[in-house]
Amino acid sequence: MKIKILLSFLLVSVLSFSQSDDASTIIQQAIENIPKNNPELVLEAFQHKKYTKGVMQKRSAENNTLIPSGFNYIFEKLSLHQFEQKNKHLETVLASNMPGFEKPIYPLFEKSFHSTSVYEKEYELFNNRFHGPLSENALKHYAFELKETISSGDNAYHILTFSPNNTSAAAQLQGELHIDIETFAVQKATIQHTKNIEATVSHDYIYYETEAVWFPSKTIAEIKLLNKLESITLFGGLIPPGKMRYDEDENSLTIFTLTATYHEIRLNNIDTITNEYVSIEALEEENVDRTSAFWNPYRESAFTSDEIAIQTDADMLVRAGKLEKRIK
């Protein structure tokens, strides 16, 4: 019996080391092939429209029902993103929906809640920077394991998990990567962080056969605060709507969800970039009250009854409190 147990232990140990070695080899290949897979390095140019919806809401921990709160808020933004190797990146904000505000809130447009690419050396997550899971020294910062290989379908891929390899504050990410078997490109990625904040960001990609590149198609980010050390504000600390702070009430939970979808993607053939000296500009001088007919083609689904309630309450609160005047 002792011999059988020992053999089983040795077999598990060998398999674990083998999976770890395989994972390291795959990740190293993924890092080395970044120049062939990162759209910003492979493509001469690209453009797309990006629809973003942010929802900050307080919900019951018991039955997940919406709890009315002056901190609840919802917003929408539609932007045209253009990238060119020579002029780099320009974001043009085409429209925004910010309940209660007469004018677009430009500081909100400039907020970077998380990185849009998993190929970068650093991955930014709600004002914190970490070593990226595909950074040059990723194998020093993270432990990778080969979870599964999916060989069925047109685009076979490896599923790898990763977790911190040390206690460095800059290496506190974990998650899962779907790596293409042939090209070692990222097909999907899930990035998580669980210190002070509980954050999860998923990155979905779609394959373009002509250009032989996996291009982003959707991201979803969700964040919850775990203690008082972190806080998030959309419009500054003096504006209650869009202010996320830790609540010690175990019966409720505040969640911030940010969803972005890509539309009208064009690769290697874009419109002329008219302003190469700025990184972001807005076309609207007023916060135009656009109907659902404008937004529906970009929304994945119509607003839920909870989202409509958040929008209505936030609109009344911002206007009644004349909160727009407090924003500089």
Side-chain angles (χ1 to χ4, degrees):
M1 180 63 71
K2 290 183 178 179
I3 294 176
K4 185 180 292 187
I5 294 174
L6 178 60
L7 288 174
S8 298
F9 173 77
L10 290 174
L11 178 60
V12 170
S13 299
V14 170
L15 288 175
S16 298
F17 279 119
S18 176
Q19 289 179 336
S20 179
D21 290 343
D22 289 345
S24 297
T25 300
I26 293 169
I27 290 300
Q28 190 59 48
Q29 286 292 321
I31 294 171
E32 292 176 2
N33 280 276
I34 286 177
K36 299 178 182 178
N37 292 320
N38 185 349
E40 293 190 5
L41 300 177
V42 175
L43 301 171
E44 286 297 321
F46 61 78
Q47 75 174 42
H48 59 82
K49 288 182 179 178
K50 185 177 182 180
Y51 166 79
T52 304
K53 179 175 77 172
V55 185
M56 192 172 289
Q57 54 188 317
K58 187 175 184 179
R59 306 195 71 87
S60 168
E62 180 180 359
N63 54 25
N64 199 38
T65 56
L66 179 68
I67 299 176
S69 168
F71 300 110
N72 292 347
Y73 199 76
I74 186 170
F75 69 89
E76 297 175 284
K77 182 180 74 168
L78 180 67
S79 295
L80 173 66
H81 289 258
Q82 295 174 290
F83 176 87
E84 197 173 42
Q85 289 294 341
K86 181 176 65 174
N87 296 320
K88 293 303 180 182
H89 179 218
L90 170 65
E91 176 186 357
T92 303
V93 180
L94 304 175
S96 60
N97 174 19
M98 298 184 180
F101 294 99
E102 297 292 337
K103 295 182 179 297
I105 308 302
Y106 297 107
L108 180 59
F109 295 160
E110 297 174 347
K111 285 182 179 291
S112 177
F113 296 103
H114 62 80
S115 294
T116 57
S117 173
V118 297
Y119 289 113
E120 302 300 329
K121 180 175 69 173
E122 292 184 328
Y123 189 91
E124 183 176 352
L125 189 59
F126 295 96
N127 298 321
N128 296 297
R129 291 183 176 274
F130 305 93
H131 296 298
L134 291 178
S135 60
E136 185 177 358
N137 295 316
L139 291 169
K140 293 183 180 179
H141 303 300
Y142 300 106
F144 293 86
E145 293 291 338
L146 176 59
K147 180 180 178 181
E148 188 179 1
T149 296
I150 306 298
S151 56
S152 59
D154 295 332
N155 301 109
Y157 58 93
H158 302 291
I159 301 178
L160 296 96
T161 60
F162 67 93
S163 57
N165 216 7
N166 53 63
T167 58
S168 169
Q172 297 307 304
L173 294 179
Q174 60 189 47
E176 187 174 278
L177 301 173
H178 292 194
I179 304 295
D180 190 282
I181 286 180
E182 293 186 4
T183 66
F184 296 97
V186 177
Q187 296 186 11
K188 182 181 176 66
T190 302
I191 311 294
Q192 297 174 312
H193 177 65
T194 57
K195 186 175 182 180
N196 298 328
I197 63 172
E198 181 180 312
T200 301
V201 185
S202 64
H203 298 259
D204 291 342
Y205 293 78
I206 188 171
Y207 186 66
Y208 285 82
E209 189 170 356
T210 301
E211 291 80 8
V213 65
W214 287 89
F215 195 84
S217 61
K218 180 180 178 179
T219 60
I220 301 177
E222 182 177 280
I223 183 172
K224 305 170 188 175
L225 300 182
L226 300 178
N227 53 46
K228 295 181 179 180
L229 297 178
E230 297 281 353
S231 63
I232 295 175
T233 62
L234 298 182
F235 308 112
L238 298 178
I239 309 299
K243 184 177 181 180
M244 188 176 186
R245 60 183 182 182
Y246 178 69
D247 192 345
E248 296 182 351
D249 182 7
E250 296 181 354
N251 297 317
S252 66
L253 186 65
T254 301
I255 305 170
F256 179 41
T257 305
L258 195 70
T259 304
T261 51
Y262 293 65
H263 304 263
E264 302 174 32
I265 298 171
R266 289 165 51 182
L267 307 182
N268 289 328
N269 179 25
I270 70 171
D271 298 330
T272 302
I273 295 180
T274 56
N275 194 341
E276 60 184 80
Y277 300 105
V278 298
S279 59
I280 183 171
E281 64 178 354
L283 295 185
E284 293 182 340
E285 294 184 1
E286 300 295 327
N287 195 20
V288 179
D289 184 18
R290 298 180 184 270
T291 64
S292 294
F294 173 84
W295 292 106
N296 282 344
Y298 303 104
R299 293 171 177 167
E300 289 189 303
S301 60
F303 273 14
T304 65
S305 57
D306 285 349
E307 290 172 336
I308 293 173
I310 293 172
Q311 180 175 240
T312 302
D313 292 347
D315 183 80
M316 290 190 297
L317 180 62
V318 172
R319 293 181 189 277
K322 298 181 180 179
L323 300 180
E324 188 163 5
K325 295 181 180 180
R326 299 186 192 179
I327 298 178
K328 298 181 180 180

